[in-house]
Structures are given as C-alpha cells and as structure tokens.
Amino acid sequence: MIILRKLLKTAAIGAIAVGTFASLRANEYDIGSIGIVRLGRAAVTVFIIGNYYKRELYDSSLKSTSPEYLELKSKVHKYGAERLLELCCANKGVYIKVGQHIGALDYLLPQEYVSTMRVLHSSAPPSSFKDVLRVIKEDFKKDPYEIFEVIDPIPLGTASLAQVHKAVLKNGTVVAVKVQHRTVKTNAFVDIKTMSTLVKITSYIFPDFKFDWLVDESKKNIPQELDFTQEGRNAEKIQSLLSHYHWLIIPKIYWDLSSQRVLTMEFLEGGQINDLQYLRSKKLNPYEVSSKLGRLYSHMIFINGFVHSDPHPGNILVRNNNSEAEIILLDHGLYATLSNEFRWEYSKLWLAILNGDKVAMQHHCTNLGVGDLYGLLSCMVSGRTWDTIMSGVQKKKYDKHEKELFQQEIPNLLPQISDVLQRVNRQMLLILKTNDLMRGIEHLLQTQNRMSSFMEMSKYCIHSVYGEKLKFSTSEWKRWELTLLEQWALIKLSFYYIYLGLFHFDINKSIESYWANDFYVF
C-alpha cells in the first residue's frame, strides 16, 4: 500500500510537470535549454527538500511536543531553507524576488526560512559588467561610453531584477544607473509557471500549506517591476504626494537616459537605515529615524493609499543634514495602490486592535475575507500576541518575552497562517510584507521599546478613520463632534506614549547606548 501511494504521488507530480511543459509550449513560449535546466533544477530541489522532511521529520518516532522533536524540526527547516537559498541564487531573477518575499515574512513563516532568505535583501548574485554594458547598448543603440564618461564596473548593490552602478555623465554629473539583468525578462514567464507547478506539488505533498497567493502576487507584481519607466513615474508620484516632508529625499530621474531596462538617477549617499554603527558615527538619533520612518509609511498606508512596498534596509538610506536625519527612499519599482474602501477597512481594523474590541476586529476581518480567523489576522497585522491585544497594545511595550512567545506559537499555526494568506484581501499581502520589514528595521535599530513608529502609525490610523467619517458627514454639528472625538483619541494616544516613555523606558540602556554617544532622547 505504501509503495502504491508513492507511485500515485510520483505519477501526479510527473503529470503536473508535463502539464506545465505543455502549457508553455501551447502558449508559444520557447523555454529553450536554459529554461529546461532552470525548471529541472527547481523540481529537483523541491523533491530533495520534500524527501528530507519526510525521512527526517515526518517518519520520526519522536513525540511532536518533545524538545527533541522541536530541535529536529528546526534542523530540518534550516536544511530546507539552505537548499531553497541555493536554488534562488542559481536560478536568479524571479526566484530571488520570491526568496526576498519569504525573507520579509517575519512571524509568518518558520524563522529558519526567514533568517536564511533575508540575505537576499542585500546580497543577490550580480550580473557580469559585460552584460550590463550590453543592456545599455541594446536600449540606447549606442556605445555606453558615448553616454557616460565613467561607469564603475563594481555594482553599488545587486537586487533580484537589476543592479546599480555609479557613473559619471559627460558633463561631470555623478549618477546612479540601475540596469536590469539581461536575461531576467526572458526567463520571468517560465519561472512563474515553474513556481506555480512547484506550489501545486508542495500543496499536494503538504496539503495544510497553501502558497498560491505567493505565485499570484508574483504574476501581478513582476511585470510592473520589470518596467523601469513605471518605477520612474512611481518615484515622481511619491515625491509629489509627500513633498511636505522636507527630510524625505527621492532621487531625481534623468528621463533622457532611461528606458524600460535602464534607469538613470541622481546619485545619493547615505548609510543603511539599520546600520547602528553608521548612525553613531554620524551622531544620528535612532529614535528620530524610527519615528520618521513610521510617520512616512503610516502616511502612505492610511492617508495616500500609495505604498512603497519594498522597504528592506538596502532600499532606505539615512544621512545627517545639519544635525537632522534625512531619509533617502530608493527602489520605487513596487507600490501597492490601496482602494479607499480597503484603506478605511484596514484603518478600522487597526483602531479595533488599539481598542481591544474583539467584536469590531471580527467584523472588519470578515470584510477583509477572514472573519473566523480574526484573532490570527489581528496578531499578524500588529505583530503582537492576542493577550497583549486584549489587554491594550498601547499600554504594553513590546519586549523580548513577548517576541519569544510569538515565535514559539508560529510553528503550531502555520497551516492557519497559510489559510489567512490564501483568503485575505489581496491588497493586504503587500501591507503585511511592509509591516514585517518595518518591524525588522525597528528591531535592528533597537527602538521597539519606545514604540515610536507604532505610535506614529496609530495617529495616522485615527486620522484615516475620522477622515472617512468627516468626508461623508453632511451635518455641521456632526462634523464638529467628530473633530472633537478625533482630537480626544489623539490626546489619549499621547498620554499612553508618555506613560510608556516615562515608566517603561530602560533608563540604563538609554544612558549606556545613546547618551554616551551624544544622542538625545527623542
């Protein structure tokens, strides 16, 4: 019987793979020998990982609650994550983009996968300089050195779809040139089809896990990110929307030197936002940086509904300008455009979380597609435990103990988390990714104990909820009442922040870590 099940499973996997190949041929996509190698490499990796899980973990006689089993599970997760990282680095392109997405899903996937894949945020494999010059020549129909006086052959940074080189124009202007990896567009369709097949295989072997949402998001987002003219338009749009933040710097686009695969921008220098050593050397206050970052993204999510959706540390720089922290926002290829209805629903969910209102949380989670899993979605959105939510997230600062509790429960909830991600409103997926990346930056800045970005987010959430009510209010008396209620909600929030700052701040850590380095308490 066991042999029969294995044969049936192998036959099903083979049928899915053949179906994918036939689909590619039917759609007149010549996958070529390289495409076949990439597809085969991915299939073999999934088989190796699945077989390792079965042999080492699922066939184990250990009790699932024993410390030995938990240690073994962590070891198996680590093995699977390392094989997956090898696949992403070998196949590059879309695979690295998906790997980066996995590396951003802190609290939502096993920590072994998140921490292993996170290296792709700043250490993606580069293309050869020869390929870089070839792309520039193909797009502008001239030798790159007719356009640029100098191009540094060593990239400033490499991402999944492109890499950035420092260059000098003929007039002496220093610029940053983002050049798409030469084969990434050619391979993108085949890669997404392959991943769709691998997800079906994974779902077949592990029916509790549903990852179709990840493939769906890749299908939707990758074409946008492959068009650098769209990235340039996004950069100019967000600059216009947030022009009132004088400390936000968006690089200028040189349109006459840009195309779908090449984007020439103003060259800006700064340190990665999570580099505490850099902040210390420039006498920048991490609490100021964290607060401004929270303000920036809260405004995008709750007010504008146009959200930079790739805020990993490599895309956000910081610099000192006359003792003030300026934030430089890079890589505008991926934005979430939120509908007003979603934005208001999401704001109301946050307000319900802030108030510990279980009935309201269930109502708004139902409107977002996951009513019966409202508690889990509320925890995923806030990054806090259910006990903390019910006792008041504004009243209790995030600490190491709560993080450990959260991560202890994650392995037991993976099937339910997978279900939430499959069912939730699609606009929520990029928001969850953005939330987790923001929390990761706060953790590395060591500013979570002051909850400054959380309080910024709470303020903008209140502005959004009452802004909607004011927009649809026709009575002058009602508008006056709503304005007072909004101000009262903000005052209460300020009291909570002062309470947390005065009575829960670790004074010793503050003095030791920041005052000694000439930082002021923000």
Side-chain angles (χ1 to χ4, degrees):
M1 194 66 186
I2 294 173
I3 295 174
L4 179 60
R5 280 202 299 270
K6 286 184 178 179
L7 287 171
L8 288 172
K9 191 171 286 191
T10 303
I13 291 170
I16 292 171
V18 170
T20 301
F21 185 85
S23 171
L24 292 169
R25 300 296 296 174
N27 284 284
E28 299 181 351
Y29 283 89
D30 183 8
I31 67 174
S33 58
I34 294 177
I36 292 171
V37 169
R38 292 162 66 81
L39 188 152
R41 187 186 288 137
V44 167
T45 300
V46 169
F47 174 79
I48 289 172
I49 292 173
N51 188 57
Y52 191 80
Y53 269 86
K54 182 182 183 305
R55 186 179 73 248
E56 298 294 327
L57 189 64
Y58 299 136
D59 288 349
S60 167
S61 58
L62 296 171
K63 289 186 64 176
S64 61
T65 55
S66 68
E68 293 79 11
Y69 182 86
L70 295 177
E71 184 179 344
L72 176 62
K73 183 158 67 170
S74 177
K75 175 190 167 189
V76 172
H77 282 332
K78 184 67 175 174
Y79 177 88
E82 287 171 350
R83 300 293 79 73
L84 189 59
L85 178 62
E86 289 173 4
L87 171 64
C88 291
C89 291
N91 277 3
K92 303 183 181 179
V94 173
Y95 284 83
I96 288 180
K97 176 60 64 176
V98 173
Q100 288 175 335
H101 199 124
I102 292 170
L105 295 173
D106 205 3
Y107 310 114
L108 305 184
L109 291 176
Q111 196 58 34
E112 293 82 0
Y113 278 88
V114 173
S115 58
T116 300
M117 305 305 285
R118 194 169 276 159
V119 69
L120 294 174
H121 287 154
S122 55
S123 302
S127 292
S128 69
F129 188 55
K130 182 180 177 181
D131 276 352
V132 169
L133 296 178
R134 186 171 171 181
V135 170
I136 295 173
K137 186 173 183 177
E138 287 172 353
D139 277 29
F140 296 110
K141 311 301 181 191
K142 59 173 67 173
D143 188 283
Y145 290 101
E146 293 180 40
I147 305 169
F148 304 102
E149 188 68 32
V150 178
I151 308 174
D152 191 338
I154 300 173
L156 294 168
T158 304
S160 55
L161 307 181
Q163 59 195 54
V164 179
H165 290 259
K166 186 177 181 180
V168 180
L169 301 181
K170 293 294 184 179
N171 64 7
T173 303
V174 180
V175 294
V177 187
K178 182 175 181 177
V179 183
Q180 196 170 111
H181 299 310
R182 192 169 64 83
T183 59
V184 72
K185 188 174 287 188
T186 307
N187 292 326
F189 180 83
V190 176
D191 287 347
I192 292 172
K193 264 292 190 183
T194 303
M195 279 187 284
S196 180
T197 300
L198 297 177
V199 163
K200 289 176 184 176
I201 293 171
T202 304
S203 299
Y204 180 79
I205 298 171
F206 308 114
D208 285 339
F209 298 90
K210 305 176 184 70
F211 291 103
D212 299 74
W213 60 271
L214 187 54
V215 175
D216 292 342
E217 284 303 294
S218 298
K219 284 180 182 176
K220 182 180 75 176
N221 295 329
I222 293 298
Q224 296 178 47
E225 294 185 83
L226 287 172
D227 182 358
F228 287 178
T229 60
Q230 180 63 48
E231 177 175 346
R233 289 192 291 271
N234 287 342
E236 293 187 341
K237 180 176 179 178
I238 201 67
Q239 174 72 70
S240 173
L241 290 172
L242 301 176
S243 59
H244 54 287
Y245 290 140
H246 66 276
W247 41 262
L248 173 64
I249 311 298
I250 307 291
K252 172 188 171 184
I253 307 299
Y254 291 85
W255 284 109
D256 56 330
L257 300 176
S258 298
S259 65
Q260 282 201 340
R261 296 192 299 168
V262 179
L263 189 65
T264 304
M265 304 162 282
E266 175 186 9
F267 179 75
L268 297 168
E269 289 187 282
Q272 281 196 186
I273 196 165
N274 64 335
D275 187 346
L276 265 179
Q277 193 59 45
Y278 175 85
L279 265 60
R280 289 192 178 102
S281 70
K282 299 298 180 182
K283 298 192 180 300
L284 288 168
N285 177 13
Y287 292 114
E288 178 192 359
V289 172
S290 183
S291 179
K292 284 181 173 176
L293 192 64
R295 197 179 315 163
L296 173 63
Y297 273 87
S298 297
H299 198 286
M300 285 192 273
I301 292 171
F302 294 107
I303 307 300
N304 291 334
F306 188 64
V307 188
H308 180 274
S309 297
D310 204 9
H312 65 74
N315 287 340
I316 309 176
L317 306 181
V318 62
R319 69 185 186 188
N320 189 328
N321 183 14
N322 295 323
S323 299
E324 181 180 24
E326 288 186 333
I327 291 177
I328 302 169
L329 196 59
L330 306 174
D331 198 340
H332 300 271
L334 183 59
Y335 271 75
T337 302
L338 310 179
S339 67
N340 285 337
E341 292 73 22
F342 171 82
R343 184 168 54 82
W344 290 329
E345 203 63 60
Y346 182 60
S347 300
K348 290 171 187 173
L349 172 59
W350 256 114
L351 202 59
I353 292 170
L354 292 172
N355 293 331
D357 188 337
K358 186 160 50 171
V359 173
M361 277 184 264
Q362 185 170 17
H363 172 73
H364 298 302
C365 285
T366 298
N367 292 341
L368 291 169
V370 288
D372 54 328
L373 293 170
Y374 68 93
L376 183 54
L377 180 58
S378 299
C379 292
M380 290 164 66
V381 163
S382 64
R384 310 298 296 270
T385 63
W386 181 249
D387 286 345
T388 297
I389 290 173
M390 293 313 297
S391 62
V393 289
Q394 316 103 309
K395 303 172 187 177
K396 184 179 178 182
K397 69 175 182 176
Y398 186 80
D399 58 24
K400 184 179 178 181
H401 176 66
E402 185 177 359
K403 180 178 181 180
E404 288 173 351
L405 283 176
F406 206 121
Q407 293 188 337
Q408 282 173 12
E409 287 303 313
I410 289 299
N412 303 322
L413 296 170
L414 285 177
Q416 293 92 328
I417 290 172
S418 177
D419 198 26
V420 167
L421 295 173
Q422 188 70 18
R423 291 162 47 187
V424 75
N425 185 303
R426 299 292 90 184
Q427 296 175 79
M428 180 66 81
L429 294 175
L430 282 177
I431 298 301
L432 287 171
K433 173 190 171 184
T434 302
N435 285 350
D436 279 326
L437 284 167
M438 295 290 289
R439 280 194 284 265
I441 290 171
E442 264 211 315
H443 173 70
L444 292 168
L445 286 178
Q446 301 174 18
T447 57
Q448 284 177 314
N449 57 348
R450 282 291 292 272
M451 296 174 64
S452 52
S453 66
F454 178 83
M455 288 300 168
E456 290 289 350
M457 180 278 304
S458 302
K459 285 193 289 186
Y460 280 97
C461 172
I462 290 168
H463 286 314
S464 175
V465 170
Y466 282 96
E468 179 200 6
K469 293 178 180 179
L470 285 165
K471 182 176 181 179
F472 293 105
S473 175
T474 55
S475 162
E476 192 63 36
W477 170 257
K478 185 65 177 175
R479 292 177 64 83
W480 183 76
E481 180 188 10
L482 287 170
T483 301
L484 285 179
L485 288 172
E486 180 183 9
Q487 292 305 311
W488 175 237
L490 291 170
I491 289 169
K492 284 196 299 182
L493 191 65
S494 298
F495 281 139
Y496 284 131
Y497 184 54
I498 292 169
Y499 168 77
L500 283 170
L502 291 178
F503 298 105
H504 290 278
F505 185 52
D506 188 337
I507 296 294
N508 292 326
K509 182 175 180 181
S510 172
I511 294 171
E512 179 184 345
S513 301
Y514 300 115
W515 291 354
N517 291 283
D518 296 325
F519 290 141
Y520 58 93
V521 178
F522 181 76

